[in-house]
Amino acid sequence: MALRIVASRPDPAIITLPWATPLEEWGEEHVVPLPRGLSRHVVRIVRLRERVYAVKETVEPIAFREYRLLRDLQRMGMPAVVPQGVVAGRVDADGEELPAALITEHLRFSLPYRSLFSHGAGREDLPRLVDALVVLLVRLHLADFYWGDVSLSNVLFRRSADGFAAYLVDAETGELRPSLSRQMREHDVTVATENVFAELLDLQASLPEGGSVARAIEPHDVVELLQRRYDELWSELTGHEEFSAGELWRIERRLERLNDLGFDVDELDIVTDYDGDQVRIQPKVVEAGHHRRELQSLTGLDVEDAQARRLLNDLAAFTAHHDLGREDRQLVANRWLTKIYEPLVALIPDEARGKLEPAQFFHEVLVHRWYLSERAGRPVDIFDTARDYIDTVLGSKPDEALAADEPADPAQISP
Protein backbone atom coordinates (compact mmCIF):
# COMPACT_ATOMS: atom_id res chain seq x y z
CA MET A 1 0.00 0.00 0.00
CA ALA A 2 1.42 3.40 -1.01
CA LEU A 3 1.76 6.16 1.56
CA ARG A 4 -0.64 8.99 0.75
CA ILE A 5 -0.23 12.51 2.12
CA VAL A 6 -2.88 15.19 1.58
CA ALA A 7 -1.74 18.60 2.83
CA SER A 8 -2.99 22.16 2.48
CA ARG A 9 0.45 23.74 2.84
CA PRO A 10 2.89 20.87 2.28
CA ASP A 11 5.97 20.73 4.46
CA PRO A 12 8.39 18.36 2.71
CA ALA A 13 9.84 17.35 6.09
CA ILE A 14 6.59 15.54 6.89
CA ILE A 15 7.69 12.73 4.59
CA THR A 16 10.73 12.09 6.82
CA LEU A 17 8.66 11.14 9.86
CA PRO A 18 8.60 7.41 10.77
CA TRP A 19 5.15 6.65 9.37
CA ALA A 20 5.85 2.88 9.35
CA THR A 21 6.08 2.99 13.17
CA PRO A 22 2.99 3.17 15.44
CA LEU A 23 2.65 6.67 16.82
CA GLU A 24 2.93 5.53 20.44
CA GLU A 25 6.45 4.20 19.66
CA TRP A 26 7.84 7.45 18.26
CA GLY A 27 10.89 8.50 20.23
CA GLU A 28 12.64 11.64 21.40
CA GLU A 29 14.22 12.15 17.98
CA HIS A 30 10.89 13.52 16.79
CA VAL A 31 8.63 14.03 19.82
CA VAL A 32 8.47 17.30 21.79
CA PRO A 33 7.23 16.83 25.39
CA LEU A 34 4.62 19.61 25.41
CA PRO A 35 1.85 19.97 28.01
CA ARG A 36 -1.16 17.82 27.27
CA GLY A 37 -4.66 16.98 28.32
CA LEU A 38 -6.75 13.82 28.13
CA SER A 39 -7.44 12.23 24.74
CA ARG A 40 -9.09 9.08 23.46
CA HIS A 41 -6.50 8.95 20.66
CA VAL A 42 -2.75 8.46 20.57
CA VAL A 43 -1.24 11.88 19.86
CA ARG A 44 2.32 13.12 19.58
CA ILE A 45 3.70 16.63 19.33
CA VAL A 46 6.60 16.70 16.86
CA ARG A 47 9.11 19.30 15.77
CA LEU A 48 10.16 19.54 12.15
CA ARG A 49 12.88 22.15 11.75
CA GLU A 50 11.31 25.41 13.00
CA ARG A 51 7.72 24.19 13.06
CA VAL A 52 5.80 22.15 15.63
CA TYR A 53 2.87 19.88 14.80
CA ALA A 54 0.34 17.70 16.59
CA VAL A 55 -0.09 14.23 15.03
CA LYS A 56 -3.20 12.23 15.92
CA GLU A 57 -3.91 8.61 14.92
CA THR A 58 -7.49 7.89 13.92
CA VAL A 59 -9.63 6.11 11.34
CA GLU A 60 -8.96 7.35 7.80
CA PRO A 61 -12.50 8.63 6.94
CA ILE A 62 -12.65 10.47 10.26
CA ALA A 63 -9.20 11.97 9.72
CA PHE A 64 -10.17 13.37 6.31
CA ARG A 65 -13.54 14.60 7.62
CA GLU A 66 -11.93 16.44 10.53
CA TYR A 67 -9.20 17.85 8.27
CA ARG A 68 -11.76 19.32 5.86
CA LEU A 69 -13.91 20.63 8.70
CA LEU A 70 -10.95 22.38 10.32
CA ARG A 71 -10.08 23.90 6.94
CA ASP A 72 -13.65 25.22 6.67
CA LEU A 73 -13.41 26.73 10.14
CA GLN A 74 -10.07 28.29 9.23
CA ARG A 75 -11.56 29.92 6.12
CA MET A 76 -14.39 31.28 8.28
CA GLY A 77 -11.92 32.83 10.72
CA MET A 78 -12.98 30.64 13.64
CA PRO A 79 -10.55 30.11 16.56
CA ALA A 80 -9.34 26.58 15.90
CA VAL A 81 -6.05 24.81 15.31
CA VAL A 82 -4.77 25.01 11.74
CA PRO A 83 -4.95 21.71 9.81
CA GLN A 84 -1.78 20.70 8.00
CA GLY A 85 -2.72 17.41 6.38
CA VAL A 86 -3.66 13.73 6.57
CA VAL A 87 -1.32 10.76 6.15
CA ALA A 88 -3.03 7.56 4.98
CA GLY A 89 -1.88 4.22 3.61
CA ARG A 90 0.46 3.58 6.55
CA VAL A 91 1.81 0.06 7.11
CA ASP A 92 4.37 -1.25 9.56
CA ALA A 93 7.49 -3.32 8.82
CA ASP A 94 5.39 -6.51 8.67
CA GLY A 95 2.91 -5.01 6.21
CA GLU A 96 0.18 -4.57 8.81
CA GLU A 97 -2.03 -1.53 8.33
CA LEU A 98 -1.63 1.40 10.73
CA PRO A 99 -4.21 4.11 11.49
CA ALA A 100 -4.30 7.27 9.42
CA ALA A 101 -2.80 10.40 10.99
CA LEU A 102 -4.25 13.91 11.17
CA ILE A 103 -1.62 16.66 11.36
CA THR A 104 -2.36 20.10 12.79
CA GLU A 105 -0.06 23.00 13.59
CA HIS A 106 0.74 23.39 17.26
CA LEU A 107 -0.77 26.58 18.68
CA ARG A 108 2.13 28.55 20.11
CA PHE A 109 1.78 29.89 23.69
CA SER A 110 -1.24 27.67 24.31
CA LEU A 111 -1.90 25.24 27.14
CA PRO A 112 -4.57 22.64 28.06
CA TYR A 113 -6.61 23.55 31.11
CA ARG A 114 -4.92 20.92 33.30
CA SER A 115 -1.49 22.35 32.53
CA LEU A 116 -2.70 25.85 33.39
CA PHE A 117 -3.53 24.66 36.90
CA SER A 118 -0.25 22.77 37.12
CA HIS A 119 1.54 26.00 36.14
CA GLY A 120 0.01 28.20 38.81
CA ALA A 121 -3.55 29.04 37.73
CA GLY A 122 -5.77 29.63 40.73
CA ARG A 123 -9.43 29.45 41.63
CA GLU A 124 -9.96 32.97 40.27
CA ASP A 125 -8.85 31.80 36.82
CA LEU A 126 -11.60 29.22 36.39
CA PRO A 127 -14.42 31.71 35.60
CA ARG A 128 -12.09 33.22 32.98
CA LEU A 129 -11.58 29.79 31.41
CA VAL A 130 -15.35 29.28 31.41
CA ASP A 131 -15.83 32.69 29.78
CA ALA A 132 -13.31 31.79 27.08
CA LEU A 133 -15.05 28.46 26.45
CA VAL A 134 -18.43 30.21 26.26
CA VAL A 135 -17.17 32.83 23.79
CA LEU A 136 -15.73 30.06 21.61
CA LEU A 137 -18.98 28.07 21.74
CA VAL A 138 -21.11 31.12 20.92
CA ARG A 139 -18.86 32.05 18.00
CA LEU A 140 -19.11 28.53 16.62
CA HIS A 141 -22.89 28.51 17.05
CA LEU A 142 -23.18 31.85 15.27
CA ALA A 143 -21.34 30.17 12.38
CA ASP A 144 -23.88 27.27 12.47
CA PHE A 145 -21.29 24.84 13.79
CA TYR A 146 -22.53 21.98 15.96
CA TRP A 147 -19.68 20.82 18.20
CA GLY A 148 -21.12 17.68 19.77
CA ASP A 149 -18.39 17.23 22.37
CA VAL A 150 -17.86 20.55 24.15
CA SER A 151 -15.31 20.24 26.94
CA LEU A 152 -12.28 21.89 28.47
CA SER A 153 -10.18 18.98 27.21
CA ASN A 154 -11.03 19.73 23.59
CA VAL A 155 -9.78 23.31 23.88
CA LEU A 156 -6.40 25.00 24.10
CA PHE A 157 -6.16 28.26 26.04
CA ARG A 158 -3.94 31.26 25.37
CA ARG A 159 -3.53 34.11 27.82
CA SER A 160 -5.31 37.27 26.70
CA ALA A 161 -4.76 40.25 29.04
CA ASP A 162 -6.58 39.37 32.29
CA GLY A 163 -8.41 36.44 30.74
CA PHE A 164 -7.99 33.69 28.18
CA ALA A 165 -8.83 32.94 24.57
CA ALA A 166 -10.03 29.45 23.69
CA TYR A 167 -9.24 27.51 20.51
CA LEU A 168 -10.98 24.37 19.25
CA VAL A 169 -8.55 21.44 18.90
CA ASP A 170 -10.88 18.48 18.32
CA ALA A 171 -13.56 18.76 15.63
CA GLU A 172 -14.11 15.02 15.25
CA THR A 173 -17.76 15.20 16.36
CA GLY A 174 -18.43 18.61 14.80
CA GLU A 175 -20.67 19.49 11.90
CA LEU A 176 -21.26 22.65 9.87
CA ARG A 177 -24.98 22.94 9.16
CA PRO A 178 -27.05 25.20 6.88
CA SER A 179 -28.80 26.40 10.02
CA LEU A 180 -28.24 25.48 13.66
CA SER A 181 -31.44 24.87 15.59
CA ARG A 182 -32.09 26.01 19.13
CA GLN A 183 -32.31 22.35 20.19
CA MET A 184 -28.81 21.61 18.86
CA ARG A 185 -27.41 24.67 20.61
CA GLU A 186 -29.03 23.58 23.84
CA HIS A 187 -27.65 20.07 23.42
CA ASP A 188 -24.13 21.48 22.99
CA VAL A 189 -24.53 23.53 26.17
CA THR A 190 -25.86 20.51 28.07
CA VAL A 191 -22.90 18.41 26.91
CA ALA A 192 -20.58 21.26 27.94
CA THR A 193 -21.98 21.40 31.47
CA GLU A 194 -21.77 17.61 31.89
CA ASN A 195 -18.21 17.38 30.56
CA VAL A 196 -16.91 20.38 32.51
CA PHE A 197 -18.48 19.02 35.70
CA ALA A 198 -16.71 15.66 35.20
CA GLU A 199 -13.43 17.35 34.27
CA LEU A 200 -13.43 19.45 37.43
CA LEU A 201 -14.08 16.39 39.57
CA ASP A 202 -11.18 14.67 37.82
CA LEU A 203 -9.00 17.74 38.37
CA GLN A 204 -9.77 17.66 42.09
CA ALA A 205 -8.81 13.99 42.30
CA SER A 206 -5.68 14.06 40.18
CA LEU A 207 -3.63 17.17 41.00
CA PRO A 208 -1.35 16.47 43.97
CA GLU A 209 -0.08 19.95 44.78
CA GLY A 210 -2.66 21.84 42.76
CA GLY A 211 -5.36 19.84 44.48
CA SER A 212 -5.73 22.47 47.19
CA VAL A 213 -6.77 24.94 44.51
CA ALA A 214 -8.97 22.45 42.72
CA ARG A 215 -10.70 21.38 45.94
CA ALA A 216 -11.69 24.99 46.52
CA ILE A 217 -13.68 24.86 43.28
CA GLU A 218 -17.34 23.89 43.49
CA PRO A 219 -18.18 22.14 40.19
CA HIS A 220 -21.91 22.85 40.53
CA ASP A 221 -21.20 26.58 40.69
CA VAL A 222 -19.01 26.41 37.60
CA VAL A 223 -21.67 24.53 35.64
CA GLU A 224 -24.29 27.13 36.57
CA LEU A 225 -21.86 29.88 35.58
CA LEU A 226 -21.29 28.29 32.16
CA GLN A 227 -25.01 28.04 31.44
CA ARG A 228 -25.68 31.61 32.63
CA ARG A 229 -22.79 33.17 30.69
CA TYR A 230 -23.81 31.37 27.51
CA ASP A 231 -27.43 32.53 27.79
CA GLU A 232 -26.36 36.11 28.54
CA LEU A 233 -23.91 36.35 25.66
CA TRP A 234 -26.20 34.69 23.14
CA SER A 235 -29.05 37.01 24.13
CA GLU A 236 -26.86 40.11 23.87
CA LEU A 237 -25.56 39.10 20.45
CA THR A 238 -28.80 37.91 18.88
CA GLY A 239 -31.74 39.11 20.98
CA HIS A 240 -34.22 41.71 19.75
CA GLU A 241 -34.87 44.99 21.53
CA GLU A 242 -37.95 47.27 21.25
CA PHE A 243 -38.26 50.96 22.10
CA SER A 244 -40.05 54.12 21.02
CA ALA A 245 -39.00 56.23 18.04
CA GLY A 246 -37.82 58.89 20.49
CA GLU A 247 -35.15 56.52 21.86
CA LEU A 248 -33.08 55.93 18.75
CA TRP A 249 -29.96 56.51 20.86
CA ARG A 250 -30.51 52.97 22.11
CA ILE A 251 -29.35 51.64 18.73
CA GLU A 252 -25.95 53.24 19.27
CA ARG A 253 -25.82 52.00 22.85
CA ARG A 254 -26.55 48.42 21.72
CA LEU A 255 -23.73 48.66 19.20
CA GLU A 256 -21.39 50.02 21.88
CA ARG A 257 -22.25 47.15 24.23
CA LEU A 258 -21.45 44.64 21.51
CA ASN A 259 -18.16 46.44 20.78
CA ASP A 260 -17.29 46.26 24.48
CA LEU A 261 -17.83 42.50 24.28
CA GLY A 262 -15.40 42.40 21.36
CA PHE A 263 -17.98 42.02 18.55
CA ASP A 264 -18.83 44.12 15.52
CA VAL A 265 -22.30 44.19 13.97
CA ASP A 266 -22.07 43.57 10.25
CA GLU A 267 -25.85 43.60 9.75
CA LEU A 268 -28.60 45.03 11.95
CA ASP A 269 -32.30 44.34 11.34
CA ILE A 270 -34.37 47.48 12.11
CA VAL A 271 -38.18 47.28 11.91
CA THR A 272 -40.75 49.97 12.75
CA ASP A 273 -44.47 49.61 13.29
CA TYR A 274 -47.05 51.06 10.88
CA ASP A 275 -46.98 54.53 12.46
CA GLY A 276 -43.23 54.53 13.06
CA ASP A 277 -43.76 54.97 16.80
CA GLN A 278 -42.07 51.73 17.83
CA VAL A 279 -38.68 50.45 16.71
CA ARG A 280 -37.46 46.86 16.91
CA ILE A 281 -33.77 46.03 16.40
CA GLN A 282 -31.97 42.71 16.22
CA PRO A 283 -28.36 41.99 15.24
CA LYS A 284 -28.35 39.64 12.26
CA VAL A 285 -24.63 39.21 11.55
CA VAL A 286 -22.05 39.74 14.29
CA GLU A 287 -18.31 39.21 14.04
CA ALA A 288 -15.81 38.80 16.86
CA GLY A 289 -12.49 40.62 17.01
CA HIS A 290 -13.55 44.29 17.19
CA HIS A 291 -10.52 45.52 19.14
CA ARG A 292 -8.15 43.12 17.36
CA ARG A 293 -9.11 44.53 13.96
CA GLU A 294 -8.88 48.13 15.14
CA LEU A 295 -5.39 47.65 16.59
CA GLN A 296 -4.20 45.76 13.53
CA SER A 297 -5.43 48.50 11.20
CA LEU A 298 -3.53 51.10 13.24
CA THR A 299 -0.30 49.26 14.05
CA GLY A 300 -0.17 45.98 12.14
CA LEU A 301 -0.07 44.04 15.44
CA ASP A 302 -2.13 40.83 15.43
CA VAL A 303 -2.98 39.89 19.02
CA GLU A 304 -5.87 38.45 21.02
CA ASP A 305 -8.90 40.74 21.35
CA ALA A 306 -8.56 41.45 25.07
CA GLN A 307 -4.86 42.21 24.62
CA ALA A 308 -5.76 44.54 21.75
CA ARG A 309 -8.23 46.39 23.93
CA ARG A 310 -5.57 46.91 26.60
CA LEU A 311 -3.05 48.14 24.03
CA LEU A 312 -5.62 50.51 22.53
CA ASN A 313 -6.23 51.94 26.01
CA ASP A 314 -2.51 52.55 26.41
CA LEU A 315 -2.42 54.16 22.97
CA ALA A 316 -5.25 56.46 24.07
CA ALA A 317 -3.34 57.37 27.26
CA PHE A 318 -0.22 58.05 25.18
CA THR A 319 -2.27 60.28 22.86
CA ALA A 320 -3.71 62.27 25.76
CA HIS A 321 -0.38 62.57 27.61
CA HIS A 322 1.35 64.05 24.57
CA ASP A 323 -1.69 66.14 23.54
CA LEU A 324 -1.89 64.40 20.16
CA GLY A 325 -5.68 64.22 19.95
CA ARG A 326 -5.78 66.48 16.90
CA GLU A 327 -3.13 64.50 15.01
CA ASP A 328 -3.79 61.76 12.48
CA ARG A 329 -4.52 58.62 14.53
CA GLN A 330 -2.48 56.38 12.24
CA LEU A 331 0.59 58.57 12.73
CA VAL A 332 0.08 58.69 16.50
CA ALA A 333 -0.26 54.90 16.59
CA ASN A 334 2.98 54.50 14.67
CA ARG A 335 4.73 56.84 17.12
CA TRP A 336 3.40 54.84 20.07
CA LEU A 337 4.48 51.60 18.38
CA THR A 338 8.05 52.75 17.73
CA LYS A 339 8.56 54.78 20.92
CA ILE A 340 6.77 52.60 23.48
CA TYR A 341 5.63 49.15 22.41
CA GLU A 342 8.57 47.90 20.34
CA PRO A 343 11.33 49.22 22.66
CA LEU A 344 9.49 47.76 25.65
CA VAL A 345 9.13 44.23 24.28
CA ALA A 346 12.74 44.42 23.07
CA LEU A 347 13.73 44.45 26.75
CA ILE A 348 12.62 40.83 27.15
CA PRO A 349 15.76 38.69 27.58
CA ASP A 350 16.30 36.08 24.89
CA GLU A 351 16.06 33.27 27.41
CA ALA A 352 12.64 34.50 28.58
CA ARG A 353 10.94 34.98 25.20
CA GLY A 354 9.13 31.67 25.49
CA LYS A 355 7.36 32.67 28.70
CA LEU A 356 4.82 35.18 27.36
CA GLU A 357 3.71 36.57 24.04
CA PRO A 358 4.94 40.16 23.54
CA ALA A 359 1.43 41.61 23.82
CA GLN A 360 0.80 39.67 27.04
CA PHE A 361 4.14 40.85 28.41
CA PHE A 362 3.14 44.44 27.63
CA HIS A 363 -0.19 43.96 29.41
CA GLU A 364 1.44 42.49 32.50
CA VAL A 365 3.95 45.36 32.61
CA LEU A 366 0.99 47.79 32.63
CA VAL A 367 -0.53 45.89 35.56
CA HIS A 368 2.84 45.86 37.34
CA ARG A 369 3.18 49.60 36.75
CA TRP A 370 -0.09 50.23 38.56
CA TYR A 371 1.18 48.34 41.64
CA LEU A 372 4.54 50.10 41.60
CA SER A 373 2.90 53.51 41.21
CA GLU A 374 0.50 52.81 44.08
CA ARG A 375 3.42 51.82 46.29
CA ALA A 376 5.54 54.82 45.26
CA GLY A 377 2.69 57.32 45.43
CA ARG A 378 3.60 58.65 41.97
CA PRO A 379 3.55 57.45 38.34
CA VAL A 380 6.45 55.11 37.61
CA ASP A 381 8.12 55.21 34.21
CA ILE A 382 6.96 52.33 32.04
CA PHE A 383 10.49 51.28 31.04
CA ASP A 384 11.60 51.27 34.70
CA THR A 385 8.51 49.17 35.38
CA ALA A 386 9.42 46.71 32.63
CA ARG A 387 12.94 46.25 34.00
CA ASP A 388 11.57 45.66 37.51
CA TYR A 389 9.00 43.19 36.15
CA ILE A 390 11.73 41.28 34.30
CA ASP A 391 13.93 41.19 37.42
CA THR A 392 11.23 40.25 39.95
CA VAL A 393 8.39 38.44 38.14
CA LEU A 394 9.17 37.18 34.64
CA GLY A 395 11.88 34.73 35.64
CA SER A 396 9.48 32.74 37.83
CA LYS A 397 6.95 32.17 35.07
CA PRO A 398 6.86 28.85 33.17
CA ASP A 399 7.91 28.69 29.55
CA GLU A 400 4.53 28.54 27.83
CA ALA A 401 5.83 28.57 24.27
CA LEU A 402 7.39 25.15 24.72
CA ALA A 403 6.80 23.85 28.24
CA ALA A 404 8.36 20.46 28.88
CA ASP A 405 8.11 19.88 32.58
CA GLU A 406 5.44 17.17 32.61
CA PRO A 407 6.09 13.44 32.42
CA ALA A 408 5.30 11.85 29.09
CA ASP A 409 2.21 9.66 29.12
CA PRO A 410 1.09 8.44 25.69
CA ALA A 411 -2.48 7.96 26.91
CA GLN A 412 -2.80 11.53 28.12
CA ILE A 413 -1.70 13.69 25.23
CA SER A 414 -4.10 15.85 23.26
CA PRO A 415 -3.56 17.69 19.99
Side-chain angles (χ1 to χ4, degrees), residues 236-278:
E236 187 65 57
L237 293 177
T238 66
H240 73 270
E241 187 175 349
E242 295 185 8
F243 45 84
S244 69
E247 299 178 292
L248 294 181
W249 53 268
R250 291 177 62 175
I251 297 178
E252 188 66 28
R253 190 170 72 174
R254 177 70 176 273
L255 296 178
E256 289 175 353
R257 290 204 309 269
L258 293 175
N259 289 166
D260 287 341
L261 290 170
F263 289 82
D264 284 321
V265 179
D266 190 52
E267 186 176 310
L268 185 67
D269 192 16
I270 304 177
V271 179
T272 64
D273 63 6
Y274 183 78
D275 298 321
D277 294 331
Q278 289 294 119

Side-chain angles (χ1 to χ4, degrees), residues 60-301:
E60 182 176 330
I62 294 177
F64 278 107
R65 180 181 179 278
E66 186 171 6
Y67 167 72
R68 296 188 180 103
L69 187 54
L70 286 172
R71 290 202 68 189
D72 288 338
L73 292 175
Q74 182 188 8
R75 283 190 287 265
M76 297 166 66
M78 292 294 106
V81 293
V82 177
Q84 176 66 26
V86 174
V87 179
R90 299 173 61 209
V91 294
D92 64 16
D94 298 323
E96 296 294 326
E97 291 189 18
L98 294 174
L102 172 67
I103 308 171
T104 57
E105 294 184 16
H106 174 69
L107 185 63
R108 188 170 165 81
F109 288 103
S110 66
L111 289 171
Y113 81 101
R114 294 171 65 88
S115 295
L116 282 169
F117 283 98
S118 297
H119 293 162
R123 181 181 184 182
E124 69 281 357
D125 290 306
L126 190 56
R128 300 168 187 167
L129 294 179
V130 169
D131 279 344
L133 180 63
V134 165
V135 169
L136 172 61
L137 182 57
V138 167
R139 289 187 63 181
L140 293 171
H141 283 174
L142 288 170
D144 295 316
F145 178 83
Y146 170 71
W147 192 339
D149 191 18
V150 189
S151 69
L152 294 172
S153 297
N154 287 335
V155 170
L156 286 173
F157 293 94
R158 297 174 74 179
R159 299 189 187 277
S160 180
D162 290 324
F164 297 91
Y167 287 76
L168 175 73
V169 297
D170 191 334
E172 185 174 305
T173 57
E175 181 182 356
L176 274 170
R177 303 181 62 85
S179 178
L180 192 64
S181 68
R182 177 180 59 82
Q183 291 80 5
M184 297 192 79
R185 288 195 302 105
E186 290 177 350
H187 183 265
D188 256 354
V189 176
T190 299
V191 170
T193 57
E194 292 173 350
N195 283 343
V196 170
F197 183 82
E199 286 167 329
L200 293 179
L201 290 179
D202 178 71
L203 186 68
Q204 290 176 333
S206 62
L207 285 183
E209 297 299 327
S212 58
V213 174
R215 281 190 291 273
I217 298 169
E218 177 47 61
H220 287 286
D221 293 341
V222 176
V223 166
E224 291 174 5
L225 176 66
L226 190 156
Q227 179 75 60
R228 184 173 72 253
R229 294 285 173 85
Y230 178 89
D231 292 340
E232 291 171 351
L233 183 56
W234 185 263
S235 176
E236 187 65 57
L237 293 177
T238 66
H240 73 270
E241 187 175 349
E242 295 185 8
F243 45 84
S244 69
E247 299 178 292
L248 294 181
W249 53 268
R250 291 177 62 175
I251 297 178
E252 188 66 28
R253 190 170 72 174
R254 177 70 176 273
L255 296 178
E256 289 175 353
R257 290 204 309 269
L258 293 175
N259 289 166
D260 287 341
L261 290 170
F263 289 82
D264 284 321
V265 179
D266 190 52
E267 186 176 310
L268 185 67
D269 192 16
I270 304 177
V271 179
T272 64
D273 63 6
Y274 183 78
D275 298 321
D277 294 331
Q278 289 294 119
V279 179
R280 182 179 186 272
I281 65 171
Q282 182 176 23
K284 301 300 289 184
V285 181
V286 293
E287 185 177 3
H290 170 75
H291 304 102
R292 184 177 192 168
R293 284 189 293 274
E294 182 180 0
L295 182 72
Q296 191 169 23
S297 70
L298 289 170
T299 66
L301 296 174

